């Protein structure tokens, strides 16, 4: 009886190399196909407003003359840079961002370092901590406007009843106190987020490092400075980026309380852009302010990626 044998066709080295190249190409292409639609949608949602604002910043565009936009070149930017009010607002924006950074990161470090230790009901404390963060900004404004009410507010009432301040100020209408008060309100809302990020970084530090520092005779401050802070450097850089960019871009945290007042004492770039666009109806100049805000945010992001991601690349 005849035996039928089949042999596989032999693969030449050239064919094997070609098959390997196709397999590698498919492996590289697969992630792009997965994230491509989402990336395209995000690019359209974010990219269109950005490029539209950039284009509008070079126009004389006003709601008072719809459809009559004319090319203005750099006139909007020149007018802004020549306006002393713009520089006052720029300085106040940087002051607002710097104060938010110091207060939020400072308090966040204290809270995170405390919660990183063995405490009674630590889980309940952590859960309670994030409540201000999840409260909507509109509700935050209602709560604090009530607390700071000069007539019926409990804060001024407590100050008067205890004799600490016989005539407490109208906190949101006094140019001496309004910006520090808004910084503290912003810190009340956003410090929990900062503390959570820093706490996550602290929990990644091996306990052996603290134990070794204790065996070497380091006290609590020395362990915090030489072990904890270097171990959370990436988390610190992240919260610095988010705090500065969030403060620069914070509109609700100012407008819902003072609308940039009193007499411009809390006007920052975002409220100035809104006022210019929807009260003065000058869309071209408002777009120019928005472009300046965008450049500032990009500068902060570039510094972050240069410092943090660049250091990671060096370590590799």
């Amino acid at each position: 009886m005849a035996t039928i044998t089949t042999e596989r066709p032999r693969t030449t080295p050239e064919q094997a190399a070609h098959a390997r190249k196709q397999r590698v190409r498919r492996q590289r292409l697969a992630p792009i196909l997965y994230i491509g639609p989402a990336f395209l949608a995000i690019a359209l949602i974010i990219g269109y407003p950005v490029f539209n604002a950039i284009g509008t910043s070079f126009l004389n565009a006003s709601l008072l003359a719809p459809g009559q936009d004319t090319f203005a070149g750099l006139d909007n930017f020149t007018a802004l840079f020549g306006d002393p009010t713009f520089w006052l607002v720029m300085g106040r924006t940087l002051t607002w961002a710097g104060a938010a950074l110091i207060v939020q990161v400072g308090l966040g470090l204290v809270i995170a370092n405390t919660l990183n230790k063995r405490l009674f009901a630590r889980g309940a404390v952590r859960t309670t901590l994030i409540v201000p963060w999840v409260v909507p900004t509109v509700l935050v404004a209602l709560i604090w406007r009530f607390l700071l009410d000069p007539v019926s507010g409990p804060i001024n009432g407590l100050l008067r009843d205890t004799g600490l301040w016989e005539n407490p100020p109208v906190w949101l209408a006094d140019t001496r106190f309004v910006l520090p008060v808004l910084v503290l309100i912003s810190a009340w809302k956003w410090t929990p987020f900062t503390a959570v990020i820093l706490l996550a970084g602290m929990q990644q530090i091996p306990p052996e490092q603290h134990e070794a520092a204790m065996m070497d005779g380091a006290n609590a401050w020395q362990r915090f400075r030489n072990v904890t802070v270097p171990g959370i450097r990436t988390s610190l850089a992240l919260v610095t980026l988010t705090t500065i960019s969030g403060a620069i871009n914070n509109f609700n945290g100012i407008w819902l309380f003072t609308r940039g007042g009193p007499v411009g004492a809390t006007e920052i770039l975002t409220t100035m852009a809104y006022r210019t666009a929807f009260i003065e109806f000058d869309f071209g100049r408002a777009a120019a302010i928005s472009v300046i805000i965008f450049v500032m945010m990009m500068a902060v992001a570039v510094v972050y990626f240069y410092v943090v991601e660049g250091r990671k690349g060096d370590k590799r």
Side-chain angles (χ1 to χ4, degrees), residues 79-316:
L80 283 174
F81 295 149
D83 184 1
T85 302
F86 169 77
W87 293 109
L88 287 174
V89 173
M90 173 67 78
R92 192 177 299 114
T93 302
L94 297 177
T95 301
W96 161 261
L101 176 66
I102 294 171
V103 175
Q104 292 178 31
V105 175
L107 290 176
L109 278 171
V110 173
I111 295 171
N113 192 52
T114 302
L115 293 179
N116 197 39
K117 301 174 182 177
R118 296 182 181 273
L119 297 174
F120 175 74
R122 184 170 61 174
V125 173
R126 290 179 179 178
T127 303
T128 306
L129 173 69
I130 65 172
V131 170
W133 177 37
V134 300
V135 173
T137 307
V138 174
L139 186 55
V140 171
L142 292 174
I143 293 171
W144 280 99
R145 287 178 72 90
F146 165 72
L147 294 175
L148 296 172
D149 188 274
V151 177
S152 59
I155 293 179
N156 279 12
L158 181 63
L159 291 174
R160 283 190 295 265
D161 294 342
T162 56
L164 294 176
W165 205 329
E166 186 177 349
N167 295 309
V170 182
W171 299 103
L172 297 179
D174 193 317
T175 56
R176 298 171 299 170
F177 300 105
V178 61
L179 192 61
V181 166
L182 291 182
V183 169
L184 293 177
I185 294 174
S186 178
W188 178 82
K189 176 170 175 57
W190 294 107
T191 296
F193 171 78
T194 301
V196 168
I197 298 297
L198 295 176
L199 178 60
M202 289 180 183
Q203 292 180 338
Q204 300 302 314
I205 301 174
E208 293 81 6
Q209 295 185 10
H210 288 281
E211 294 170 0
M214 292 177 64
M215 293 178 63
D216 290 339
N219 56 34
W221 167 248
Q222 290 171 332
R223 293 196 303 272
F224 176 77
R225 185 183 62 185
N226 298 317
V227 178
T228 302
V229 172
I232 61 172
R233 187 178 289 113
T234 300
S235 298
L236 277 173
L238 176 61
V239 296
T240 299
L241 169 69
T242 55
T243 302
I244 293 177
S245 59
I248 292 174
N249 204 36
N250 191 346
F251 172 78
N252 291 333
I254 298 288
W255 192 261
L256 292 175
F257 288 95
T258 63
R259 298 194 175 187
V263 293
T266 57
E267 187 90 300
I268 62 174
L269 288 175
T270 50
T271 59
M272 185 182 186
Y274 180 87
R275 188 183 306 280
T276 304
F278 299 107
I279 296 178
E280 300 174 7
F281 303 116
D282 190 344
F283 272 27
R285 188 169 298 188
I289 299 173
S290 300
V291 170
I292 292 171
I293 297 173
F294 176 74
V295 170
M296 293 171 66
M297 304 276 281
M298 289 298 296
V300 173
V302 167
V303 171
Y304 168 79
F305 283 107
Y306 177 78
V307 173
V308 177
E309 302 300 331
R311 185 180 291 117
K312 290 181 181 178
D314 293 340
K315 288 181 179 179
R316 295 193 191 100

Side-chain angles (χ1 to χ4, degrees), residues 36-79:
F39 181 81
L40 181 62
I42 293 174
L44 290 175
I45 294 172
I46 297 177
Y48 174 76
V50 169
F51 287 108
N52 184 63
I54 294 174
T56 306
S57 67
F58 296 104
L59 300 176
N60 286 319
S62 174
L63 281 180
L64 300 178
Q68 301 180 27
D69 302 347
T70 58
F71 182 71
L74 297 175
D75 289 351
N76 289 319
F77 294 96
T78 303

